[in-house]
């Protein structure tokens, strides 16, 4: 077990020149982008219904009725898709002692002195917080969403509860858009990260600089593969 604390079994070092490291298998990347596309459709259809000035967005879905019908379906499918991603990644997103030290030295990171921070596994604290934020917000949205899905569940809760559910649903939606903006911004800000989710690989330098504990573990495992 200690053999795979910071990495997935498919992670590996590829002996190209320069060296690359496999960070995501194809099925994880497909799962990620499928979830991302659904969440974007979810946001567009949700905001179209949320604010009258954005009602024009319903045009993307063929009108208000279609947007109203499709929005909860996008939501359920997005949650199921995220669940698959969650099952693959939750262990690597558990909090660890080094995350606390990392957070206490965040000013060094912002000043460009990442070498002063502790070595990290596959994810840093920021990524972990985004991950758990997405998880809890999606859970909140699917639970409150079922309560306000009158077409299929008209008698699930009383009218006062439904009103509260609508408020909770809207707040969670706005928060989740903020979390996704942070996620995309961080992916762009940390140069070399996007390729992890497109080609599946990062450079050896990227892995050494940002996730050294992860890289060390992948290298150790590759040096001594488990006995057949
Ligand atoms: C639409 C624009 C998006 C872009 C450009 C993007 C980009 C990325 C990139 C580059 C990574 C790899 C980060 C790394 O391995 O260090 C990643 C990871 C991930 N993304 Fe996205 N993403 C997007 C949307 C989403 C959405 C909408 C969700 C789900 C609600 C999502 C969930 C995740 C998760 C769970 C991970 C794994 C990170 C972790 O487990 O902490 N992404 N994304």
């Amino acid at each position: 077990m200690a053999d795979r604390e910071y990495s997935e079994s498919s992670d590996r070092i590829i002996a190209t020149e320069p060296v690359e490291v496999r960070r995501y298998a194809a099925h994880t990347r497909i799962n990620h982008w499928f979830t991302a596309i659904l969440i974007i459709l979810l946001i567009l259809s949700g905001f179209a219904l949320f604010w009258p000035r954005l009602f024009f967005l319903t045009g993307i879905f063929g009108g208000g009725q279609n947007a109203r019908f499709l929005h909860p379906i996008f939501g359920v499918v997005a949650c199921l898709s995220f669940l698959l991603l969650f099952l693959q990644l939750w262990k690597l997103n558990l909090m660890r002692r080094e995350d606390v030290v990392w957070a206490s030295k965040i000013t060094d990171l912002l000043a460009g002195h990442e070498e002063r921070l502790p070595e990290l596994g596959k994810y840093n604290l920021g990524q972990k917080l985004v991950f758990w934020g997405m998880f809890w917000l999606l859970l909140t949205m699917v639970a409150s969403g079922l309560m306000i899905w009158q077409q299929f569940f008209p008698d699930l809760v009383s009218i006062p509860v439904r009103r509260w559910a609508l408020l909770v649903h809207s707040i969670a939606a706005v928060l989740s858009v903020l979390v996704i903006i942070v996620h995309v911004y961080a992916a762009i800000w940390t140069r070399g990260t996007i390729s992890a989710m497109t080609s599946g690989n990062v450079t050896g330098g990227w892995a050494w600089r940002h996730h050294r504990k992860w890289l060390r573990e992948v290298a150790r495992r590759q040096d001594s593969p488990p006995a057949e």
Side-chain angles (χ1 to χ4, degrees), residues 23-24 32-33 35-36 39-40 82 85 89 93 123 127-128 131 134 138 180 183-184 187 193-194 196-197 206 211:
R23 194 159 162 88
Y24 294 107
H32 173 269
W33 291 118
T35 313
I39 300 262
I40 290 166
F82 182 82
L85 205 54
L89 301 174
N93 280 286
Y123 299 113
Q127 291 172 298
K128 291 179 182 180
F131 179 83
M134 283 171 181
L138 280 176
I180 289 166
H183 175 63
V184 175
T193 306
I194 297 285
M197 264 307 165
W206 184 97
H211 299 279

Side-chain angles (χ1 to χ4, degrees), residues 72 75-76 79 135-150 153 156-157 161-162 164-166 168-170 172:
V76 170
C79 282
F135 172 75
W136 287 111
L137 288 168
L138 280 176
L139 200 64
T140 306
M141 277 188 285
V142 81
S144 55
L146 289 178
M147 294 181 201
I148 56 180
W149 199 354
Q150 291 191 55
F153 306 103
L156 192 63
V157 292
V161 172
R162 195 180 301 150
W164 279 107
L166 188 56
V168 169
H169 194 76
S170 310

Side-chain angles (χ1 to χ4, degrees), residues 158-177:
S158 65
I159 291 174
V161 172
R162 195 180 301 150
R163 287 184 183 142
W164 279 107
L166 188 56
L167 180 65
V168 169
H169 194 76
S170 310
I171 294 172
V174 171
L175 290 178
S176 63
V177 170

